[in-house]
Amino acid sequence: MSLPRVASIETLAADHRVRRGSDASIASHGSLRSRKLSFNPLPQDWDLHALQQGRDKPDDVLSQLAAPVSAFEVPEWKRMLQIAAAVIYCLFAAGIVFGYAALKPVLKSEGAYRDTCGGDDTCVEIHLNLMFTVAAVGTNVAALPVGAILDHFGPRVSGVIGSIFLLCGALLLAYAQTLPFDALLLGYLCLALGGPFTFISSFQLSNAFPRHSGLILALLTGAFDASSALFLIYRIIFNATDGAFNLRSFFLLYLAVPVVLFLLQVFLMPARSYKTVGELVDQAEEADAASHALDISSRFDDQVDENTALLREERAEQRQQQEAVVADIHSLLGSVTADQQLEAEERKNVTSGVWGIMHDNTVLEQISSPWFILICLFTVIQMTRINFFVATIRVQYAAIFGDLDKAIHINNFFDLALPIGGLVSIPFIGLALDHTSTVVVLATLVTTATLIGILGVLPYMWAAYANVILFVLYRPFYYTAVSDYSAKVFGFRTFGTVYGLIICLSGLFNFSQSGLDILFHITFHGNPVPVDLILLALGLIIGTSLVLFVVIQLRRLGRLGNDHPRDV
């Protein structure tokens, strides 16, 4: 699954300043939501008495119950505990399905689909790969409903739904051999759906400590990447016990994860998301304005009587409350100046070269433009290549080397490198995207993808190891670059729709992996090279077209090598 890149608190505050001060940045309001990954564009104030009296409509009640809360209203120790809990349960639940390559040998050892296929190994291979394909599609498509549920019901409900999916998935996988339907496919899909419900609902915790939002999101993202190692650890234990610790034992033990997750959601995790930096700035400005208004109104109370004295006392108390709110918000946000924030953000936008290209266009105009079509096609091909490689790495290298032992060595190295690669690449991805033009980023993606494709078909161990290393570093960089491109080109006002559509379509297209499996195992008689070369050629053609299109458009707009690109 892929996620939008998250900016620092300085960038977010700058976004907010730009939104309030420039007509050209109308989309920045959405940036407080998408770049900060806070899915709560809801009213900040709501009347509990009105809710109790039933005067609001049901939709209003739901929205108000999910309205965000200021972080300073929650004790610091509790916020710290919430973040620690989220990192731990994301480590065990967020992206475990992407450890499929490590689990696959165990599934085969346990006889998965053996009866269905009558012992035919090619048939088993295709069924197992379909199981992963459906899970990968489900993970990407689930991002859309997860966002809607977070918007309307808050992170606690989303987390509880995630725990239910994980519980169902573990039970189905534990008893798959005794159930009269394909419980492996359905169970793995449930694990895949539980991931985004659990993971995405945790993003808003970055607002619990705005000055450390980057660190918090790095911890959560790192937990997501590292979670794929869970099945690797299980496979090591499975082999060490000669299969005694079987699938049923493992997934029955895993039931503890959704149970603990459910309890944490009910008793510890926030029911309402924490307010973003922009919302806190708004709240501080409103409180400051209210305090100033109270000062002005008190000057007109010339007549001193009992009522006036009470009124003044009440106003003084209100003013103290407003000033306390402002002080709490300033303490939470820190003292970085808005001008510095704005200048830093403007430098990043200018560096990209594509900032604001289609911010003022409608969604229909955006998704019908070559800017969208080309990045969507490139994402479709690359996501298919990535998931196909994850699903077939062992059988591919077994065929390329003609040696199963060598393939197992590469597979084991990949299982270990996948979570590590995600962790190692995190700090460098942000630096590259913030200080490099989008043309350079896209050209790097195309070049790296081509090199991976070439290395992947060479029958040498050094090429295989190099391929795996490049792959595990490329994968998080690619996903992040696509979200970064979408935000810069299309703007934050339509980010959720545009980026969500790209990922959703790419996820759905992953069903083509079943066709690729047939080509690999049947049409080409177990030779993966023709399939890899087809995917390589498609990626190169579409990727080159994308880079050339962007270069031509930027040259036409005078943005290539220009420190101050003119407006579109």
Side-chain angles (χ1 to χ4, degrees), residues 25-41:
S25 63
I26 190 172
S28 294
H29 176 68
S31 73
L32 300 173
R33 182 177 168 210
S34 61
R35 296 188 72 172
K36 210 43 192 162
L37 298 179
S38 172
F39 298 87
N40 294 279

Side-chain angles (χ1 to χ4, degrees), residues 96-328:
I96 59 172
V97 293
F98 293 103
Y100 168 76
L103 182 65
K104 188 177 180 180
V106 178
L107 291 170
K108 281 192 169 184
S109 298
E110 289 280 283
Y113 294 113
R114 185 181 300 159
D115 294 337
T116 303
C117 294
D120 180 29
D121 188 64
T122 298
C123 173
V124 171
E125 187 76 21
I126 291 174
H127 273 79
L128 286 174
N129 290 347
L130 177 63
M131 180 186 83
F132 173 70
T133 299
V134 171
V137 172
T139 299
N140 291 315
V141 174
L144 294 178
V146 170
I149 290 172
L150 280 168
D151 281 349
H152 293 92
F153 302 103
R156 176 174 293 170
V157 172
S158 177
V160 167
I161 293 174
S163 69
I164 293 172
F165 273 122
L166 292 170
L167 182 74
C168 293
L171 285 173
L172 287 169
L173 289 167
Y175 294 101
Q177 299 294 340
T178 60
L179 295 173
F181 56 88
D182 192 349
L184 286 174
L185 187 147
L186 183 59
Y188 211 66
L189 174 60
C190 285
L191 288 185
L193 294 176
F197 274 100
T198 303
F199 183 43
I200 297 177
S201 65
S202 303
F203 292 162
Q204 51 83 30
L205 291 173
S206 64
N207 299 322
F209 295 94
R211 282 184 288 178
H212 305 288
S213 60
L215 174 61
I216 295 169
L217 286 160
L219 289 172
L220 291 170
T221 304
F224 172 84
D225 288 323
S227 65
S228 62
L230 181 64
F231 288 148
L232 171 61
I233 295 171
Y234 167 57
R235 192 188 71 196
I236 293 172
I237 297 173
F238 178 84
N239 292 334
T241 60
D242 293 327
F245 190 53
N246 58 19
L247 281 171
R248 177 171 296 184
S249 300
F250 171 75
F251 282 109
L252 287 178
L253 178 63
Y254 184 79
L255 287 173
V257 174
V259 170
V260 171
L261 174 59
F262 177 84
L263 294 175
L264 287 172
Q265 293 297 331
V266 173
F267 296 108
L268 176 64
M269 304 308 289
R272 297 153 58 192
S273 297
Y274 290 114
K275 288 182 179 179
T276 64
V277 172
E279 290 169 327
L280 289 171
V281 171
D282 279 339
Q283 185 180 0
E285 291 175 350
E286 290 168 3
D288 193 43
S291 178
H292 183 62
L294 287 170
D295 280 337
I296 294 175
S297 63
S298 65
R299 297 174 186 172
F300 294 95
D301 296 329
D302 297 329
Q303 183 179 358
V304 180
D305 55 25
E306 185 178 352
N307 292 332
T308 303
L310 289 174
L311 182 60
R312 285 182 175 177
E313 184 179 346
E314 182 179 342
R315 284 174 176 168
E317 183 179 346
Q318 291 175 347
R319 186 164 56 250
Q320 289 177 354
Q321 291 175 350
Q322 301 292 355
E323 290 173 351
V325 169
V326 173
D328 285 335

